[in-house]
Amino acid sequence: MKYSLSMRLLHWSMAAMIIGLLAVGLYMTGIPDDAPDKYDLYPAHKAFGFIVLMLILVRVATRLRSQIPALPDGLASWEQKLSHAMHALLYLSMVAMAVSGYLMSSFYEYSHGIELFGLITVPDITDKSEYWSGVFHLIHEIGGWVMIGALGFHIAGVIKHRWLDAPENDVLGRMV
């Protein structure tokens, strides 16, 4: 049994956006503070981050309504538990990254909302605060590294089950 088409589309589109956001985020943090183009990528990063936040809501609602395929019977008990824990960590880190990014931006002194590609502006939802912007910046930074680690384990698990285990333990087939 496969995940529903809507779950598969959400999975792969969000995976592409999240990996892109992580790559751009790492790149942006490496740009020196005094570089003239330091903040050129921030508007797109914020816009795609907000889109991911909205897609998380859609994804959770879709997941609650969808029938989730059972894990293959050949997986050991510890593998099933680890799979559930990693998926929970991925969902938690997706929410933490998106919410902390939005709050960091809202608290940031020079932010005036999130411009979604010239279509609409998502307003800031807080008063400006250097302290709270810093707190959510730290959460966002730590969350990024947690997300990278969780994605690494997720992909490693897929590779293991696809190419190292028995064919009936392939979990990738449920998501393609």
Side-chain angles (χ1 to χ4, degrees), residues 79-99:
E79 290 174 309
Q80 292 180 20
K81 290 175 184 166
L82 184 58
S83 173
H84 291 303
M86 290 312 300
H87 280 97
L89 181 59
L90 282 167
Y91 273 90
L92 180 64
S93 61
M94 282 189 286
V95 170
M97 289 295 292
V99 170

Side-chain angles (χ1 to χ4, degrees), residues 17-161:
M17 280 190 269
I18 288 168
I19 290 168
L21 284 165
L22 288 167
V24 168
L26 288 170
Y27 174 76
M28 289 186 322
T29 59
I31 298 172
D33 287 340
D34 59 349
D37 60 347
K38 170 75 175 176
Y39 297 100
D40 288 355
L41 292 172
Y42 280 73
H45 184 79
K46 289 179 180 185
F48 278 107
F50 189 80
I51 291 167
V52 166
L53 177 58
M54 295 298 101
L55 288 175
I56 291 166
L57 300 175
V58 172
R59 186 169 178 170
V60 169
T62 303
R63 185 176 172 91
L64 291 173
R65 289 189 338 240
S66 298
Q67 186 172 353
I68 305 302
L71 288 170
D73 291 333
L75 296 183
S77 172
W78 68 269
E79 290 174 309
Q80 292 180 20
K81 290 175 184 166
L82 184 58
S83 173
H84 291 303
M86 290 312 300
H87 280 97
L89 181 59
L90 282 167
Y91 273 90
L92 180 64
S93 61
M94 282 189 286
V95 170
M97 289 295 292
V99 170
S100 66
Y102 183 37
L103 289 172
M104 174 178 53
S105 178
S106 288
F107 279 115
Y108 185 61
E109 179 181 359
Y110 300 107
S111 176
H112 305 291
I114 297 173
E115 184 78 27
L116 294 179
F117 310 108
L119 301 173
I120 62 169
T121 300
V122 180
D124 293 332
I125 57 172
T126 63
D127 292 332
K128 303 305 176 190
S129 168
E130 185 177 342
Y131 173 79
W132 286 109
S133 180
V135 167
F136 286 106
H137 180 273
L138 181 62
I139 292 168
H140 199 67
E141 184 176 353
I142 292 168
W145 290 111
V146 170
M147 172 81 71
I148 289 168
L151 283 172
F153 276 107
H154 181 64
I155 293 166
V158 170
I159 290 169
K160 176 197 180 294
H161 298 308

